Amino acid sequence: MRGAPLKAAVVGHPIAHSQSPTIHGHWLESTGIAGTYEALDLHPDAFADEIRALVERGFQGVNVTVPHKEAALALADTTDETARRIGASNTLVFTQGKIQARNTDAYGFWENLAPSLNGQTPKRALVLGAGGAARAVLVALQDAGVQDIVLANRTLSRAQALADELAVSARIEPLSWDDAESLMDQQMLPLIINTSSRGMKGENPITCTLAAQTRETVVNDIVYNPLQTALLQSAEVRGCRTVDGLGMLLHQARPAFQAFFGGRVVVDAGLRHKVERRMGLV
Ligand code: ATR
């Protein structure tokens, strides 16, 4: 006997910009699983109560976006190790009335980047930005075996604090933004990742020339609006391999879909084009 359709949602405030309904809707269609996925705008004051109401209503779980990722971690009954290390949860899974906090951002970041690394984990990486997104990237890089990370941020003290907190298996060296721009001009780096909001539509672009970078350098901008940031354009001029940020958004959704609906799914060109069109990126 088939039960009622499985229910999941993305929660945020605001929520209209979220691409999660498009992504999960695509997979519900392609797998033929009977499920619904909606976008819910939850005010921060009501967040915990609203989440508990969704558990009561029989939801399988929710994806969590700005500004609720820390609150989601705080209200969960259990937390997986990655979410604990990152200090935020983007996926709450409801099982038998209990709430489990997970974080799939580190997974999504690495899945998006790995195909461009030719099977080799770089020993060294430069990470730009020390906000929420940087946390997931630093966890993923260390789990993948990167040993030496330079963490550059406009506010140096924030990079220092994050390096102190998150360095486990790698050495993380804090650096000022200006020094990072000089470093990119002077030393070949195997991997450069922008996690800062610089370069997003409406923000200052990153205009450095990457003078010392070569075709051996992989440059990943996790910004995906625009898809082709000024940083990626400079990287292409230098002949670097480039990776845009949209794939991270798509891949972080895969483990969530599996947890909510039980289906294994892939990120294919059809999904990517659908999201690109919906966001007006192409
Ligand atoms: P997210 O969760 O997207 O990482 P966040 O936690 O607000 O967002 O962090 C934003 C990051 O972008 C920070 O590293 C921020 O630098 P500061 O810590 O100095 O604020 C960085 N950032 C934002 N605007 C920037 C700019 N114009 N130049 C350089 N860095 C910028």
Side-chain angles (χ1 to χ4, degrees), residues 158-195:
R158 225 176 152 197
Q160 267 155 350
L162 203 56
D164 289 345
E165 183 189 337
L166 288 184
V168 179
S169 54
R171 195 174 76 98
I172 305 183
E173 179 198 341
L175 201 68
S176 72
W177 190 278
D178 286 350
D179 287 347
E181 291 202 351
S182 307
L183 182 69
M184 289 186 281
D185 281 343
Q186 285 160 17
Q187 239 181 65
M188 188 268 164
L189 299 154
L191 179 59
I192 297 171
I193 303 142
N194 176 46
T195 75

Side-chain angles (χ1 to χ4, degrees), residues 208-279:
C208 52
T209 54
L210 304 172
Q213 306 314 310
T214 70
R215 53 198 285 202
E216 302 301 319
T217 306
V218 177
V219 181
N220 176 199
D221 200 331
I222 74 164
V223 168
Y224 54 82
N225 191 2
L227 276 176
Q228 182 71 337
T229 60
L231 176 67
L232 293 185
Q233 278 166 21
S234 305
E236 279 190 0
V237 169
R238 309 289 329 164
C240 308
R241 274 171 278 159
T242 61
V243 182
D244 69 44
L246 186 58
M248 177 176 173
L249 174 75
L250 303 176
H251 280 287
Q252 61 78 32
R254 280 172 49 220
F257 186 90
Q258 194 173 351
F260 301 153
F261 301 114
R264 283 186 172 274
V265 284
V266 293
V267 170
D268 58 17
L271 173 61
R272 200 182 147 98
H273 289 150
K274 197 181 269 186
V275 174
E276 284 175 353
R277 278 197 304 275
R278 182 151 190 278
M279 293 186 73

Side-chain angles (χ1 to χ4, degrees), residues 129-133 153-155 158 177 195-198:
N153 198 42
R154 176 177 61 180
T155 311
R158 225 176 152 197
W177 190 278
T195 75
S196 81
S197 42
R198 239 183 112 168

